Amino acid sequence: MPVIYASSTGNTDDVYMGRLGQSTWANARDGTVATTSLDSVNQTSVFTQATKFLDLRSGSYVYAVRRTFMVFDTSGISGTVASADLSVRGYYANSGSVVPVKSDAYGGDGGTNWSTSDFNNIVGFSTGSSLDGLATLYSSPKTTTNWTTSGWNDFTANSNLLNDMKNDNVVIVCFMDFTHDFLNSAPTGTTNCGGYFAEKTSPDYRPHIDYTLAATGYANNVNGVASASINKINGVGAANISKVNGI
């Protein structure tokens, strides 16, 4: 199967960003500008995060949210994508669950470098609300709950991702904590999952999409029979036929 790796250079460098040390969950989750960001890292234990913890300096509880954004160049795809897996290699922490959603960061088309103001650039994002039924999901089932730190975490692409791979020059993905960030449910402790980034150039670790194109065989009626009803012609699979009798 063809493979597309996440970008690690230029305007489309992958990045994780967060809002840290916020006095309320709403400030952490719904704020428009990240307070921290990093786009030059091989791996992190806070690939996604939602947390509430005691700040020993102030003596008060504070909240934090971290999200990861990635760009995949799909400009070379012209046919229909039949199936795909979006895969992230896990690292170190696995106390949460992760969901991939469509993002309009990077200017929405990968033409502009990421910005800390992209923090909530998630298609369908709504402040103060669960994103269930609002955000554009990129996997089915929607989340990986058993995050592994010793291998690949595979998200099975749904129709949203398959269609965007075919129709858009880039696919921009935001990985979020599912239980708290996506569903807008304030945490009482810490949930975070670790992962590798595209800077880890080895294919054994680099985030990627494996995909399969739909068969493009003979697409015309034969003796009045619709092509959709034809599996073989003279024993040859339709997917392997471009012409019949030169036509």
Side-chain angles (χ1 to χ4, degrees), residues 215-219 227 229-233 235-243:
T216 58
Y218 191 71
S227 60
S229 302
I230 299 172
N231 293 320
K232 293 182 179 180
I233 298 176
V236 179
N240 299 315
I241 299 172
S242 61
K243 294 182 178 180

Side-chain angles (χ1 to χ4, degrees), residues 135-211:
T136 301
L137 295 166
Y138 266 163
S139 67
S140 180
K142 65 183 66 173
T143 180
T144 292
T145 55
N146 298 313
W147 190 260
T148 179
T149 59
S150 59
W152 292 104
N153 296 281
D154 298 320
F155 298 92
T156 301
N158 62 11
S159 60
N160 295 325
L161 179 52
L162 298 179
N163 290 335
D164 285 353
M165 289 175 65
K166 175 185 177 181
N167 298 322
D168 298 339
N169 288 328
V170 297
V171 164
I172 304 172
V173 183
C174 174
F175 296 91
M176 311 174 65
D177 170 85
F178 176 73
T179 306
H180 301 290
D181 190 7
F182 182 85
L183 295 178
N184 191 33
S185 175
T188 57
T190 296
T191 60
N192 52 282
C193 291
Y196 286 89
F197 290 81
E199 279 75 9
K200 193 77 170 178
T201 56
S202 167
D204 292 333
Y205 294 90
R206 193 174 180 185
H208 61 273
I209 300 175
D210 290 277
Y211 69 95

Side-chain angles (χ1 to χ4, degrees), residues 9-209:
T9 59
N11 286 346
T12 54
D13 194 1
D14 55 7
V15 61
Y16 80 95
M17 60 180 77
R19 285 181 57 81
L20 312 183
Q22 302 299 305
S23 59
T24 67
W25 169 244
N27 285 346
R29 191 257 187 182
D30 295 335
T32 59
V33 179
T35 62
T36 184
S37 59
L38 189 59
D39 68 353
S40 181
V41 60
N42 287 335
Q43 67 272 334
T44 178
S45 61
V46 287
F47 190 84
T48 63
Q49 184 186 56
T51 182
K52 175 185 179 181
F53 63 94
L54 181 64
D55 183 346
L56 296 179
R57 293 171 298 178
S58 66
S60 301
Y61 282 95
V62 293
Y63 296 86
V65 169
R66 283 184 170 96
R67 301 167 185 154
T68 289
F69 296 81
M70 292 186 178
V71 180
F72 297 86
D73 182 354
T74 55
S75 60
I77 298 175
S78 57
T80 298
V81 183
S83 62
D85 287 321
L86 170 61
S87 300
V88 175
R89 181 95 178 195
Y91 170 78
Y92 188 70
N94 63 345
S95 62
S97 56
V98 181
V99 58
V101 296
K102 182 174 183 175
S103 169
D104 52 5
Y106 302 88
D109 59 2
T112 303
N113 200 2
W114 66 266
S115 165
T116 53
S117 62
D118 284 338
F119 181 67
N120 63 6
N121 276 30
I122 295 163
V123 175
F125 188 86
S126 178
T127 58
S129 300
S130 167
L131 299 187
D132 201 14
L134 296 178
T136 301
L137 295 166
Y138 266 163
S139 67
S140 180
K142 65 183 66 173
T143 180
T144 292
T145 55
N146 298 313
W147 190 260
T148 179
T149 59
S150 59
W152 292 104
N153 296 281
D154 298 320
F155 298 92
T156 301
N158 62 11
S159 60
N160 295 325
L161 179 52
L162 298 179
N163 290 335
D164 285 353
M165 289 175 65
K166 175 185 177 181
N167 298 322
D168 298 339
N169 288 328
V170 297
V171 164
I172 304 172
V173 183
C174 174
F175 296 91
M176 311 174 65
D177 170 85
F178 176 73
T179 306
H180 301 290
D181 190 7
F182 182 85
L183 295 178
N184 191 33
S185 175
T188 57
T190 296
T191 60
N192 52 282
C193 291
Y196 286 89
F197 290 81
E199 279 75 9
K200 193 77 170 178
T201 56
S202 167
D204 292 333
Y205 294 90
R206 193 174 180 185
H208 61 273
I209 300 175

